[in-house]
Amino acid sequence: MKNKIILLFIFILTSSICYSQKISDKYFENVIEITDKNVVTNRSDFLFDVAIPVDSKTPIVFVSAKVSQKLLSGIYPELTRIIVISPNWNYYDENSKQKLPEGVICAEPMASSVIYEFKRQNGKVLKDSLVLMGSFPEMKIVSPPKIKANQTLIYFTEGFGSRCCPKDLQWENSPKREEFVANFERENKTKIGNTYVEYRGKEGESNYYYTLNNLSNELKLRFILERNFYRIINRHLKDIIKYPRIFTPIVLEVNSNIKKI
């Protein structure tokens, strides 16, 4: 009898650990909602101001804000698996373009939603999706995870390789990091906020983490876009094609290897 109880306990424990929500589920728990209040855009790129820790168990995000569905696969790229629920904006947009006969009153389109599952493996994004016509899944909305005392929110990260052997060209790319920050602060009459550095090697290898905590979300997005552009090596020699993106912050654990500068 004792052995049966032990086996039953192991089965229940294992089942609870292995259970993971699927896009075919009708009810989703612990859903983090991204509303219009969490989003800024320049009509091309978007910035979300909600972070999801990497150790979160298969996060489920409901993006209720109107964001292009084709960009959703890029959110929270540090997560290996994420479920994203979105209004079916493609359906709504197509419905609004339909021309009706004169005198016919257009009724509201039926509710429709799309549930995506994104998996990241070896630099590739694997996508599965399910369209619901006439409904949304039932969801239990919760607050985003709280940032711990030893953590901070990072909106932009840039890395530098070796100063030699071979030399990372970013070290000589103009404007240099410090110069770019100074120019941005002067032009926008503000300070960007806390910045951290993590040294990764003996030849200058390092990562810089920007909280941008003194900037509005609009200025955060501007900083990210401008810094990404100026990090392009020999950009004056290239035909640069820009693709819209959604930028999302990360949660950084500040340890003894990471210093505020």
Side-chain angles (χ1 to χ4, degrees):
M1 182 66 180
K2 183 177 180 181
N3 290 337
K4 290 183 179 180
I5 294 174
I6 292 174
L7 288 173
L8 178 61
F9 173 78
I10 293 175
F11 173 78
I12 294 173
L13 180 61
T14 304
S15 298
S16 64
I17 292 173
C18 294
Y19 174 73
S20 180
Q21 295 223 244
K22 303 177 180 64
I23 62 173
S24 58
D25 289 348
K26 300 184 182 302
Y27 174 72
F28 291 91
E29 294 184 329
N30 302 317
V31 179
I32 299 171
E33 184 176 10
I34 307 294
T35 70
D36 287 326
K37 294 180 180 179
N38 305 118
V39 177
V40 295
T41 181
N42 59 3
R43 298 187 178 183
S44 176
D45 301 282
F46 296 81
L47 173 74
F48 293 178
D49 67 2
V50 175
I52 300 176
V54 175
D55 58 1
S56 298
K57 178 184 176 183
T58 309
I60 303 168
V61 179
F62 175 40
V63 183
S64 60
K66 188 167 185 179
V67 175
S68 174
Q69 288 175 237
K70 65 182 179 181
L71 301 181
L72 292 176
S73 62
I75 65 174
Y76 305 104
E78 67 278 6
L79 303 175
T80 57
R81 180 175 182 259
I82 184 172
I83 291 176
V84 180
I85 303 169
S86 168
N88 191 352
W89 298 117
N90 292 340
Y91 163 73
Y92 293 145
D93 290 342
E94 286 299 320
N95 198 279
S96 67
K97 294 176 183 176
Q98 293 182 4
K99 293 184 177 180
L100 298 175
E102 186 176 349
V104 176
I105 299 175
C106 179
E108 287 290 326
M110 73 170 68
S112 181
S113 58
V114 186
I115 308 173
Y116 298 96
E117 179 185 37
F118 301 115
K119 293 181 179 178
R120 281 88 178 223
Q121 296 178 359
N122 302 321
K124 296 182 179 179
V125 179
L126 306 178
K127 181 181 79 170
D128 197 3
S129 62
L130 177 67
V131 176
L132 301 182
M133 297 302 298
S135 67
F136 278 70
E138 187 177 352
M139 294 176 279
K140 181 181 179 182
I141 305 295
V142 298
S143 300
K146 292 184 178 181
I147 303 300
K148 299 176 183 178
N150 65 330
Q151 296 176 333
T152 189
L153 217 56
I154 300 298
Y155 278 89
F156 185 75
T157 302
E158 63 177 322
F160 293 82
S162 173
R163 290 183 179 273
C164 67
C165 314
K167 185 176 185 177
D168 183 355
L169 296 180
Q170 284 295 346
W171 288 112
E172 301 301 328
N173 198 11
S174 181
K176 294 184 180 180
R177 192 194 72 81
E178 296 85 350
E179 183 183 358
F180 172 84
V181 171
N183 290 341
F184 187 92
E185 292 179 332
R186 183 176 61 257
E187 291 171 4
N188 294 282
K189 299 179 181 180
T190 187
K191 295 292 183 181
I192 65 170
N194 297 332
T195 302
Y196 295 82
V197 63
E198 178 183 24
Y199 297 108
R200 299 180 287 103
K202 297 180 179 180
E203 297 175 351
E205 299 92 337
S206 52
N207 286 335
Y208 288 84
Y209 304 99
Y210 301 82
T211 66
L212 304 181
N213 58 311
N214 282 350
L215 304 182
S216 65
N217 284 346
E218 288 80 6
L219 282 179
K220 287 185 178 79
L221 180 57
R222 185 184 303 174
F223 180 98
I224 293 167
L225 293 173
E226 290 184 6
R227 186 57 184 151
N228 276 334
F229 173 76
Y230 282 113
R231 277 182 60 85
I232 299 173
I233 302 294
N234 295 325
R235 55 190 173 275
H236 61 289
L237 302 176
K238 300 175 180 178
D239 294 326
I240 299 172
I241 301 175
K242 183 179 177 299
Y243 297 99
R245 284 184 57 188
I246 298 174
F247 297 96
T248 47
I250 65 170
V251 177
L252 176 70
E253 185 172 320
V254 180
N255 53 43
S256 59
N257 296 324
I258 299 175
K259 308 293 184 182
K260 185 188 293 187
I261 57 175

